[in-house]
């Protein structure tokens, strides 16, 4: 029996409860993390890899970090280097969609194979601890006076925090093309810029700034969710009369050229992994919101995201 057929058979049996997780085949997964260490994609990929090994779904998971260009460099390496590989995965998300729209890289997501969306995470905007500003109202006041004087720091051009900054400007009556946005290649660089006071406002997924907010090294001034995040005492933008809501979802793609059977086997592995205690622990630790969508439904969602973000970014003068 072919390995991928075997995996598929085991997945079907496990789904019906006929087999425990420990009876699954255990491949050696290669995980592309198209970002520098320390950011959201890195954290997500390593959490998924740990869930795969802890759940006895994979013997090993190896990681390859390749940051830059909103994930486009890692995407190109993944597409060109893992064609037909049934054990290759790549973490991606809303940031990559935005980056492809703005950067128009030669290799795009259509070359790879959509597997599943895992989580959504809302952005938080923070101020350096020693900032003379104290609230989002202070930021907006300065933004209206002199848009260029407010330096927004966050992920790559086209990231959800970049889009959110442009949306905030639009909602408060400032030309979004005049915002001063500084793009960083990974969460670690953005964090360092905020801690060093090198940006006016920092934006990222809540989990990336959480420890610094808790210790008082950053002051959280707004989250981009519709309601306050559970257990987190930070006001939403909507509470502050700024009608902006945007989520940063993350998902997984497979290699180009894999068969439908191989794709199904990878999806089954992912869906089994996110049912493990290891994944539940990572969800809680990182304040991630479950947003599971797999297979063709995920493919359709990504297509719709491209259309929606492209429209928003055009309207904001970003592309």
């Amino acid at each position: 029996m072919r390995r991928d057929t075997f995996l598929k058979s085991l997945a079907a049996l496990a789904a019906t409860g006929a087999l425990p997780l420990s009876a699954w085949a255990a491949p050696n997964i290669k995980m592309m993390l198209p970002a520098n260490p320390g950011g959201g994609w890195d954290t997500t990929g390593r959490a998924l890899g740990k869930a795969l090994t802890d759940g006895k779904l994979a013997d090993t998971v190896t990681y390859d970090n390749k940051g830059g260009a909103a994930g486009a460099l890692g995407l190109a390496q993944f597409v060109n280097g893992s064609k037909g590989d049934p054990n290759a995965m790549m973490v991606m998300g809303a940031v990559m969609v935005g980056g492809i729209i703005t950067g128009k890289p030669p290799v795009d997501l259509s070359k790879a194979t959509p597997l599943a969306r895992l989580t959504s995470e809302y952005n938080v905007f923070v101020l350096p601890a020693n900032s003379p500003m104290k609230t989002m109202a202070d930021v907006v006041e300065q933004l209206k006076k002199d848009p260029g004087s407010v330096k927004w720091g966050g992920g790559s051009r086209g990231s959800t925090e970049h889009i959110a900054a442009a949306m905030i400007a639009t909602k408060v009556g400032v030309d979004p093309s005049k915002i001063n946005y500084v793009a960083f290649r990974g969460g670690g660089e953005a964090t360092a810029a905020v801690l060093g006071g090198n940006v006016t406002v920092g934006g990222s997924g809540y989990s990336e700034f959480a420890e610094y907010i808790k210790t008082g090294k950053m002051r959280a001034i707004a989250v981009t969710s519709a309601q306050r995040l559970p257990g987190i005492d930070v006001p939403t933008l909507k509470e502050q009369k700024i009608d902006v809501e945007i989520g940063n979802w993350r998902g997984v793609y497979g290699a180009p050229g894999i068969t439908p059977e191989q794709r199904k086997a990878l999806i089954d592995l992912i869906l089994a992994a996110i049912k493990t205690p290891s994944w539940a622990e990572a969800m809680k630790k990182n304040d991630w919101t479950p947003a599971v969508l797999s297979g063709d439904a995920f493919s359709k969602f990504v297509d719709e995201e491209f259309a929606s973000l492209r429209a928003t970014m055009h309207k904001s003068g970003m592309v």
Side-chain angles (χ1 to χ4, degrees), residues 236-275:
T236 67
L237 286 165
K238 290 189 171 186
E239 278 182 65
Q240 302 177 72
K241 312 302 181 187
I242 303 170
D243 189 18
V244 171
E245 176 187 346
I246 185 170
N248 183 15
W249 58 268
R250 297 186 180 111
V252 185
Y253 265 56
I258 58 174
T259 67
E261 292 78 15
Q262 289 168 337
R263 180 193 189 204
K264 178 66 163 56
L266 284 177
I267 291 171
D268 288 339
L269 282 177
I270 293 167
L271 295 181
I274 62 176
K275 293 175 183 176

Side-chain angles (χ1 to χ4, degrees), residues 27-45:
N28 300 302
I29 297 295
K30 289 167 277 187
M31 188 84 68
M32 164 57 70
L33 307 172
N36 293 331
W41 288 345
D42 181 72
T43 305
T44 301

